[in-house]
């Protein structure tokens, strides 16, 4: 049976990405060798690295003065690399969920952290909007998409200090004004590639301003100066990322991806809102178009497990919600076709009819 993959991460990749990557595992760029067994300094792999940076710059319209890095360590390592490299005295953070919290925890190791607002008391069902970012903060850190809670900031905020954003789960889902940010980072396993590579878009002018000593591997400058080749980069995930980026470009770029993502999310939210069994958990105006979180209405709560089982008979996988929200989470990343959304909606309706 065809599977409909709604996993939150690692998550669905395009057929294009999977096919091209599988080919390169057998024979990479006509070398007669697998990409898994060739030097990262070979001209064939260097070309892949160059293309990765080039496609990031092109698709996200990244201005001059920024570097795109491809590192190991996951987005979680960025929680400490950001303050290590940028926090002089004080940084401001917006607490919108589990990932934001983890970033805050690391930043506190490096200086004063001003958590300007938090929606924790309401189990992160909304994104706070009433707050002031102190003008003397070195940067303001946000998590644009809260993967676990299904809320999202879908615009580039206007604040008086540079922005730093964790865009792990919504990169390439809309055009961004990169010039407002000092750093944009994310793990690849949500909207780009298999786990193992982390992208970092960093403004060169933002670097070299802190006094502390920074370990070589945790210093953005090291990787910026060496084109992400200071040590062995995660070659396979980078290769897969390039295939995804080529596919994005072929589809028509981020504007087109945004349209497709909006259409998928709108359809699913409409079905949830029209349902007598299900209800969305996130505040309507903050709803994520990447991770749609919903639960059974209280009077039908006991049907949760049954719906999960019913959905799996339709080939639907990965819709179990994160334990901190419960219920269901349908992740609608770029590679997920509308057809899968239709299958999920049909399953919801059929289940509703039977109950
Ligand atoms: C998944 C996720 C992370 C963690 O990424 P790792 O690569 O596993 O460290 C961080 N932030 C957000 C928003 C995420 O969705």
């Amino acid at each position: 049976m065809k599977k409909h993959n709604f996993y939150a991460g690692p998550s669905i990749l395009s057929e294009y990405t999977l096919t091209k990557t599988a080919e390169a595992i057998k024979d990479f760029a006509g070398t007669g060798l697998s990409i898994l067994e060739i030097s990262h300094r070979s001209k064939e792999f260097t070309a892949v690295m160059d293309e990765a940076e080039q496609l990031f710059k092109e698709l996200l319209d990244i201005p001059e003065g920024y570097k795109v890095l491809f590192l190991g360590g996951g987005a979680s390592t960025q929680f400490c690399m950001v303050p290590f490299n940028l926090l002089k005295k004080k940084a401001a953070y917006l607490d919108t969920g589990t990932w934001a919290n983890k970033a805050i925890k690391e930043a506190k190791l490096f200086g004063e952290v001003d958590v300007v607002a938090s929606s924790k008391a309401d189990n992160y069902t909304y994104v706070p909007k009433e707050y002031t970012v102190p003008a003397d903060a070195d940067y303001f850190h946000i998590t644009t998409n809260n993967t676990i809670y299904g809320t999202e900031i879908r615009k580039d905020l206007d604040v008086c200090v540079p922005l730093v954003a964790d865009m792990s789960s919504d990169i390439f889902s809309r055009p961004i004004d990169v010039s407002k940010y000092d750093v944009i980072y994310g793990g690849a396993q949500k909207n780009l590639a298999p786990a193992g590579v982390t992208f970092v878009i960093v403004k060169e002018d933002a670097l070299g301003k802190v006094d502390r000593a920074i370990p070589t591997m945790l210093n953005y400058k090291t990787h910026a100066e060496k084109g992400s080749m200071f040590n062995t980069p995660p070659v396979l995930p980078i290769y897969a990322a390039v295939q995804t980026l080529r596919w994005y470009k072929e589809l028509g770029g981020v504007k087109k991806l945004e349209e497709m993502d909006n259409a998928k999310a709108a359809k699913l939210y409409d079905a949830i809102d029209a349902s007598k069994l299900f209800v969305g958990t996130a505040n309507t105006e903050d709803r994520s178009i990447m991770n749609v979180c919903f639960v059974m209405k209280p009077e039908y709560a006991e049907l949760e497990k049954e719906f999960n089982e019913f959905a799996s008979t339709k080939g639907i996988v990965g819709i179990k919600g994160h334990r901190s929200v419960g219920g269901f989470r349908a992740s609608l990343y770029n590679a997920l076709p509308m057809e899968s959304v239709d299958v999920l909606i049909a399953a919801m309706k059929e289940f509703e009819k039977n109950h």
Side-chain angles (χ1 to χ4, degrees):
M1 189 194 336
K2 186 177 157 73
K3 296 289 184 187
H4 300 282
N5 182 356
F6 291 93
Y7 273 117
S11 44
I12 188 166
L13 292 168
S14 72
E15 201 47 50
Y16 183 95
T17 302
L18 293 175
T19 306
K20 296 287 181 189
T21 306
E23 283 168 15
I25 289 176
K26 290 286 191 191
D27 181 4
F28 170 48
T31 55
L33 298 171
S34 167
I35 185 159
L36 302 177
E37 50 182 15
I38 190 170
S39 169
H40 58 294
R41 303 203 185 275
S42 61
K43 67 177 189 324
E44 290 84 2
F45 186 76
T46 312
V48 172
M49 197 60 127
D50 291 345
E51 188 177 350
E53 177 161 17
Q54 165 52 33
L55 283 172
F56 251 81
K57 288 188 167 167
E58 188 180 330
L59 286 162
L60 295 176
D61 202 11
I62 300 176
E64 288 293 305
Y66 284 80
K67 292 276 193 196
V68 185
L69 314 178
F70 299 96
L71 312 176
S76 300
T77 299
Q78 295 310 309
F79 297 161
C80 85
M81 272 178 88
V82 164
F84 225 140
N85 285 267
L86 304 184
L87 203 169
K88 282 172 276 180
K89 191 160 172 287
K90 177 159 93 180
Y93 278 69
L94 187 62
D95 178 20
T96 52
T98 307
W99 297 117
N101 243 284
K102 292 189 177 189
I104 290 165
K105 179 169 174 255
E106 298 303 301
K108 284 180 176 168
L109 300 171
F110 299 92
E112 196 184 322
V113 175
D114 187 341
V115 179
V116 299
S118 170
S119 47
K120 186 173 183 164
D122 290 296
N123 201 32
Y124 298 116
T125 47
Y126 70 99
V127 175
K129 286 163 206 85
E130 303 296 315
Y131 53 80
T132 312
V133 175
D136 60 345
D138 298 318
Y139 60 84
F140 178 43
H141 182 282
I142 56 173
T143 312
T144 51
N145 186 58
N146 299 286
T147 323
I148 292 174
Y149 300 92
T151 63
E152 190 174 13
I153 300 169
R154 289 201 65 77
K155 57 175 196 233
D156 305 304
L157 301 179
D158 286 303
V159 284
C160 54
V161 301
L163 285 166
V164 171
D166 175 355
M167 295 198 185
S168 291
S169 51
D170 66 350
I171 190 80
F172 296 111
S173 71
R174 66 175 174 95
I176 4 175
D177 180 357
V178 175
S179 70
K180 287 188 176 174
Y181 300 82
D182 271 7
V183 175
I184 296 170
Y185 66 87
Q189 67 273 23
K190 315 285 167 63
N191 227 357
L192 188 61
V197 64
T198 309
F199 64 84
V200 181
I201 302 165
V202 57
K203 189 178 191 169
E204 288 168 276
D205 277 355
L207 301 179
K209 293 187 177 163
V210 297
D211 291 329
R212 72 175 66 84
I214 305 174
T216 312
M217 273 298 285
L218 298 181
N219 194 333
Y220 287 132
K221 273 197 159 173
T222 305
H223 304 288
E225 281 162 11
K226 300 283 185 196
S228 304
M229 291 277 206
F230 172 75
N231 70 323
T232 320
V235 291
L236 190 69
I238 293 170
Y239 185 82
V242 167
Q243 308 317 307
T244 302
L245 297 173
R246 284 182 181 176
W247 184 65
Y248 286 171
K249 188 174 161 180
E250 243 171 58
L251 283 174
V254 282
K255 263 210 144 75
K256 179 72 190 170
L257 290 164
E258 182 181 36
E259 270 170 38
M260 293 163 66
D261 292 335
N262 272 329
K264 285 184 284 178
K267 213 176 194 181
L268 183 53
Y269 280 122
D270 282 350
I272 293 166
D273 291 342
S275 163
K276 69 176 176 23
L277 293 185
F278 302 98
V279 61
T281 55
N283 190 24
T284 311
E285 69 173 13
D286 299 320
R287 282 173 164 179
S288 166
I289 67 164
M290 295 276 101
N291 311 96
V292 176
C293 293
F294 56 106
V295 293
M296 288 286 178
K297 287 183 181 170
E299 60 270 37
Y300 300 105
E302 80 283 358
L303 293 177
E304 188 176 306
K305 193 159 169 274
E306 197 181 326
F307 180 68
N308 244 319
E309 283 160 11
F310 178 73
S312 69
T313 67
K314 306 286 181 188
I316 294 166
V317 293
I319 57 161
K320 194 172 160 38
H322 189 275
R323 62 189 178 280
S324 39
V325 180
F328 310 99
R329 169 175 51 176
S331 296
L332 313 181
Y333 297 125
N334 292 344
L336 185 91
M338 181 62 100
E339 182 204 345
S340 294
V341 176
D342 290 335
V343 168
L344 175 59
I345 293 172
M348 290 163 70
K349 287 190 173 154
E350 190 182 333
F351 188 80
E352 185 167 326
K353 223 169 43 208
N354 301 341
H355 289 85

